[in-house]
Amino acid sequence: MMSRIGVLGGMFDPIHNGHVEAASFARNHLSLDLVKLVPCSLPNHRAEATSSAHHRLAMLNLALEKHDGLEVDAIEIEREGVSYTADTLEELAHQNSASQLIFVLGLDSFNTLTHWHAWEKLFDLCNFFILARAGSQINSDISETINLSERLSESSDDFFMHSSGKILLAKEFSNDLSSSKVRSELVKGADLSSSLDHAVYSYIKQ
């Protein structure tokens, strides 16, 4: 059997408990062998990170230290330049030729998919595991463009029968914590011990 590797990208500026919960949820829900958290070097459609790559990597390593099956992959930071998901997944597929890639992302991000660089290529490289709140829906325009009815899996068994191009929607995950909210609260001097890993919180304060 091929190993199954989840890929969760983001700025992780800083990494917070919501990120770790999302990665852990995906690993447990799909029985993944590993979930790689991939920090973006230079985003294409948003502002650059507030923290340097050095600090974001340090915080990621601290946050994942006690979590089996979750690891940091600095592939985009090492590559430098604009971080395109298609390039990252293509490189990861080459590095892990005996593995199946599952791209983990939130519904809000997935609903912008057709604006991504070389987005069509993604369906040849991975399956999509989408984290959504109960009652949330994939945008109707996106659904039509990607032919959702043909790609949507109703079960994990069907999902894994295909090496790429399938979508599984998880409506049991709900976490509204964002890095921008964390940064805003940090500026206010708020207590973020419930939002950040203890080691990460100490690192930031230092």
Side-chain angles (χ1 to χ4, degrees):
M1 178 190 288
M2 297 181 74
S3 63
R4 298 167 176 174
I5 299 177
V7 180
L8 176 65
M11 298 305 295
F12 303 111
D13 186 29
I15 183 170
H16 53 66
N17 291 343
H19 293 131
V20 178
E21 285 180 26
S24 297
F25 177 84
R27 181 172 184 251
N28 295 331
H29 189 86
L30 298 176
S31 299
L32 302 178
D33 296 285
L34 177 69
V35 177
K36 291 176 174 284
L37 282 77
V38 180
C40 175
S41 174
L42 187 63
N44 185 30
H45 290 301
R46 55 178 294 176
E48 293 184 38
T50 303
S51 304
S52 68
H54 169 78
H55 287 311
R56 289 186 290 129
L57 281 173
M59 289 185 285
L60 274 160
N61 282 310
L62 287 170
L64 302 186
E65 204 168 36
K66 299 174 184 176
H67 294 274
D68 292 336
L70 307 184
E71 72 172 31
V72 185
D73 192 320
I75 183 173
E76 292 187 348
I77 288 172
E78 291 167 357
R79 190 171 65 228
E80 299 184 337
V82 176
S83 300
Y84 293 118
T85 300
D87 294 343
T88 299
L89 289 175
E90 191 168 39
E91 193 170 344
L92 287 174
H94 178 73
Q95 292 175 4
N96 303 274
S97 57
S99 301
Q100 184 176 9
L101 297 182
I102 296 89
F103 189 46
V104 182
L105 73 168
L107 181 61
D108 290 347
S109 294
F110 187 79
N111 277 332
T112 68
L113 184 70
T114 54
H115 297 291
W116 295 18
H117 170 75
W119 65 269
E120 297 98 329
K121 186 191 295 185
L122 300 179
F123 287 103
D124 296 323
L125 296 168
C126 68
N127 281 338
F128 291 83
F129 184 56
I130 303 171
L131 306 177
R133 302 177 190 87
S136 300
Q137 299 289 332
I138 294 175
N139 181 288
S140 58
D141 291 338
I142 297 289
S143 299
E144 184 177 350
T145 303
I146 68 173
N147 197 9
L148 180 66
S149 61
E150 295 295 320
R151 297 190 181 280
L152 193 62
S153 291
E154 296 298 328
S155 69
S156 56
D157 287 340
D158 175 70
F159 185 65
F160 285 118
M161 282 178 62
H162 304 80
S163 60
S164 64
K166 299 296 283 186
I167 296 167
L168 187 63
L169 189 61
K171 296 184 178 179
E172 310 94 278
F173 184 82
S174 180
N175 190 308
D176 293 326
L177 190 61
S178 69
S179 293
S180 58
K181 182 177 179 180
V182 168
R183 291 195 302 272
S184 176
E185 293 299 305
L186 281 168
V187 170
K188 297 175 186 176
D191 179 9
L192 289 171
S193 55
S194 64
S195 302
L196 297 169
D197 173 86
H198 176 73
V200 172
Y201 197 16
S202 296
Y203 183 92
I204 291 171
K205 288 192 288 188
Q206 290 172 12

